[in-house]
Each structure stands twice: as structure tokens, then as C-alpha cells.
Amino acid sequence: MKLQAEEAAIVKLVRDFVDDEVRPVARDLEHANAYPERLIEQMKALGVFGLAIPEPYGEVQVSTPCYAMVTEELARGWMSLAGAMGGHTVVAKLVAAFGTEEQKAKYLPRMAVGELRATMALTEPSGGSDLQAMRTVARREAGQYVISGSKMWITNARRSGLIALLCKTDPSARPSHRGISILLVEKVPGVTVSKDISKLGYKGVETCEVVFSDARVGENALLGGEEGAGFAQMMRGLELGRIQVAARATGVARAAFDDALAYAQQRESFGQPIWRHQSIGNYLAEMATKLSAARQLLLYAAEKADSGERSDLEAGMAKLCCSETAMDVALTAMRIHGGYGYSTEFDVERYFRDAPLMIVGEGTNEIQKNVIARQLIDRGGLDCA
């Protein structure tokens, strides 16, 4: 699709940043599992953390297709950078869409410039994808909410100053989703980042367990001031979250494909570049076809998100397709590189380690299939008009 000139310029600005600043240092930072402080500060200066925040709180709110393309470019350089702004953007969307005027004024201007970083806390140690079975509870007491429980897989937990916490404010509600709310929780006493989780990939950016031990927040921390609306609010937020994960996946797939294509032209065997061998040429053709199709589905879902209609079907399909494509393309890139693909001297091994995150993150692909099937039934099939 063709972006407006201003948005196309933003994507190019990020693309140049990735080529000039990210790719030259990503391998060393990733292998050292080092937090990319300088790159994050540059992203703040570029306005990346405010792309989803409307005026008057932010300066440049872009369309969802533009946001997806920016995410893809960052992931093409190093997927961890795209992850560093992913949850932040979902929280910004939640506050902008559902927050009270007080909440918007308090948080969005600082979030837009990256002064305040945000993350969301959904998953629990024993809950996984079953969000309604959560055990984190916020009970009312003397005009406050007192929060008890724990959350897992929280990206940017140590560096975020705001957590969009999904919790139960009415554990006895039936159906249970009617008792779920979102609290906007700052790093108050009782909020502890208890441990960092070691990971196969997605290095450099911390992923943690966060424990809430009778942490107290005011009643004005309730998103939108409405109890029991949190599950529906978060499901809307995850539509953007899944588009963001899909964009991360296409970014990783693009990087893997680009490296494989270049290598296949440089590497020779039996007196010719290896792409001329039918098996390698076929690999490249299949990779390019799958990647192109996945990107089109991503942009279709992004356009749907801006239509004002629900996009959970399209976002789920994009997340499913793009993440599986990234895994397939990353593995094929390793095949094309042969033994070098298994070496840490080349980036393809990183793509292979990063790609699985998008299969399990923001709802596993098995859950995505459930969402897609349910939406197909509810909508009466696909709208191909």
C-alpha cells in the first residue's frame, strides 16, 4: 500500500536509523544481552514511542499501517527494539481510547516522548492464555485498591514507570470476565520486579516476573473509571498488539530473507553461485512468496484496524500467518547458509532464535486459531467483497 508523504518519510527515517545505527551493533549487543540504552534514546528522539498518541497529547499520530511498517523496520534491524516499544504502544492506545481525561493528561504527554515508558501485565505463572482464570486481585479498601498477585513475561518491567495491570476487582463475578478491570499502576511500594527470565532469543530487553504484595493505588487508577470493563478493553488493545507482533515477525522474516538472498549470490559451489542450484533457487522463491503474502495480510489487518470496526479476526490471521512465515523463513535461511547458519558470526542464527517468540507471544497461535474460528462463525464467514 502507499502511505501519505509524511508517513512515508517517517518510515524512511526509521529505515535509515536501522541501517546506519542498529544493524552495525545489533549482533554484539544481542550476544552480550546488553540493554540498548543509546538506541532506545535515539528512538525517543525519533518520536517512535509517540506514534500511537493523538493530539494534543502527542505530536505525530500515524495510521496503523504506518505504525506496522515502522515496527517492521525496527525488527528488521533487531527484533528486541520493536519489542521495547510494543507494549508501550498498546498501553498508550488503551489510555487514549478508554482513559479518563485526568488519566490522558497525566500519562500520554510523557509517554509520547518516551519520558514515561509503559508495559502491560496480563499473563500469570499458572494462567498462560486463560486470562479469565487469573488470580491477581485488587480489593477496595478505604478509597484505594489493594493489589495482590503476580504476573509473568513482562517486557520492560524494570524500566517502565507505568503498568497496565489486568486483574480481578470482583472475583465472584459470573461470567468471570465481568469482574476484570485494568488498573494503571506506577512503581508504588508493594510492586516488585522479582526476577528476570532467561530466554532463547529476544535478548537485551528484560522480560520479568512482577509481584504485587498489597500494593496500593488510588481509585483514580481504574482505567476509564469503570470496573468490570477491563477484559473488553484489553481485547481491543490486543488487536493492535497482535498487529504489532505480526509486524515484528515480518521484520525478522525480511532480515532472514535479505541475508539469504545476498549469501546465495556470493557463495559458490561447483563453479557457480549457489542460487543457481535448483534446490536453493526454489528456497528463495518460496521464501519471497510467503513473505510477500504475509506482509499483504499484515497491511490488510492494519487498514482494518483504522476502519473503526473490530479487527480481531484480521489481526489474529495476520499474527498467525506472519509468525509462522517468520519461523519458516528463518529456518530456510539457515539451510541456505549451511554450516555458517549455525555460527554466531552470522545473524541468521539470531533470527532463528527470535522468530519463535512471535508464535507464542500476544496469544499463542493455537489461541489465534480459536479466535479466528469463533469470528468466522460470528461473522458468517469471510467478507471477500
Side-chain angles (χ1 to χ4, degrees):
M1 67 169 294
K2 188 175 180 62
L3 297 174
Q4 297 293 326
E6 183 178 1
E7 292 192 339
I10 291 172
V11 175
K12 183 181 185 302
L13 184 67
V14 176
R15 182 183 303 123
D16 291 344
F17 163 68
V18 166
D19 289 334
D20 297 341
E21 303 292 339
V22 178
R23 290 185 65 83
V25 300
R27 186 185 306 167
D28 289 341
L29 287 171
E30 201 269 349
H31 289 170
N33 196 19
Y35 183 74
E37 188 75 50
R38 182 179 65 84
L39 296 177
I40 294 293
E41 290 302 315
Q42 289 175 287
M43 287 167 60
K44 292 179 183 178
L46 290 173
V48 167
F49 289 96
L51 293 178
I53 298 177
E55 295 180 343
Y57 310 106
E59 294 184 358
V60 184
Q61 182 186 24
V62 301
S63 67
T64 304
C66 177
Y67 171 72
M69 291 183 185
V70 167
T71 300
E72 182 182 274
E73 290 296 339
L74 290 171
R76 180 178 64 85
W78 185 15
M79 193 273 291
S80 295
L81 293 180
M85 52 85 86
H88 173 93
T89 305
V90 173
V91 176
K93 278 284 191 179
L94 288 171
V95 175
F98 303 111
T100 64
E101 290 305 316
E102 177 190 0
Q103 290 166 344
K104 293 175 185 178
K106 182 178 182 180
Y107 295 121
L108 291 180
R110 289 187 294 147
M111 291 178 68
V113 295
E115 175 191 337
L116 175 66
R117 302 267 301 284
T119 189
M120 52 184 181
L122 286 70
T123 306
E124 298 192 354
S126 60
S129 298
D130 187 4
L131 294 180
Q132 295 190 53
M134 72 180 64
R135 298 177 182 176
T136 300
V137 173
R139 66 183 189 277
R140 281 181 179 269
E141 184 178 295
Q144 293 182 311
Y145 285 102
V146 183
I147 309 165
S148 299
S150 61
K151 297 288 183 177
M152 290 286 286
W153 305 107
I154 312 304
T155 299
N156 296 320
R158 294 192 182 279
R159 290 171 174 83
S160 293
L162 180 67
I163 302 171
L165 173 68
L166 197 68
C167 60
K168 287 188 175 180
T169 48
D170 182 3
S172 63
R174 294 294 180 270
S176 58
H177 68 82
R178 292 181 178 171
I180 294 175
S181 304
I182 295 176
L183 295 179
L184 301 175
V185 182
E186 300 178 35
K187 294 289 183 63
V188 297
V191 178
T192 305
V193 180
S194 58
K195 68 176 181 180
D196 290 63
I197 301 170
S198 297
K199 300 164 292 185
L200 172 69
Y202 198 23
K203 304 285 189 178
V205 176
E206 78 275 17
T207 304
C208 307
E209 179 182 33
V210 180
V211 176
F212 301 86
S213 304
D214 291 336
R216 293 177 177 268
V217 296
E219 291 181 341
N220 59 356
L222 179 65
L223 180 64
E226 181 182 358
E227 279 197 3
F231 189 79
Q233 292 168 342
M234 188 60 76
M235 290 305 101
R236 290 303 298 266
L238 287 179
E239 291 176 14
L240 178 66
R242 286 166 180 162
I243 289 171
Q244 206 266 354
V245 168
R248 283 197 241 174
T250 57
V252 171
R254 274 183 60 197
F257 172 74
D258 289 347
D259 285 9
L261 182 64
Y263 184 81
Q265 295 173 80
Q266 297 162 5
R267 178 73 168 175
E268 292 189 358
S269 69
F270 302 99
Q272 61 183 344
I274 62 172
W275 73 265
R276 292 187 177 275
H277 299 301
Q278 187 177 33
S279 60
I280 301 299
N282 285 352
Y283 277 151
L284 293 171
E286 292 169 356
M287 293 164 77
T289 301
K290 291 177 180 178
L291 174 55
S292 296
R295 290 191 78 243
Q296 290 303 310
L297 184 53
L298 165 65
L299 295 175
Y300 170 69
E303 287 185 302
K304 183 72 172 183
D306 283 349
S307 71
E309 302 176 22
R310 289 298 302 268
S311 59
D312 40 1
L313 170 64
E314 293 78 10
M317 293 171 70
K319 193 268 188 188
L320 170 64
C321 177
C322 294
S323 61
E324 296 291 349
T325 296
M327 190 73 255
D328 182 65
V329 169
L331 175 58
T332 305
M334 289 189 73
R335 294 179 186 274
I336 290 173
H337 279 75
Y340 287 114
Y342 201 65
S343 166
T344 57
E345 296 179 8
F346 287 74
D347 290 328
V348 288
E349 60 86 25
R350 166 162 54 90
Y351 310 144
F352 184 72
R353 289 184 289 106
D354 279 346
L357 174 69
M358 277 71 78
I359 288 176
V360 298
E362 219 80 354
T364 66
N365 280 0
E366 290 70 27
I367 291 294
Q368 300 311 307
K369 292 175 184 178
N370 292 344
V371 170
I372 292 166
R374 185 164 54 250
Q375 285 298 311
L376 289 172
I377 298 302
D378 290 346
R379 297 189 188 188
L382 281 173
D383 181 9
C384 298

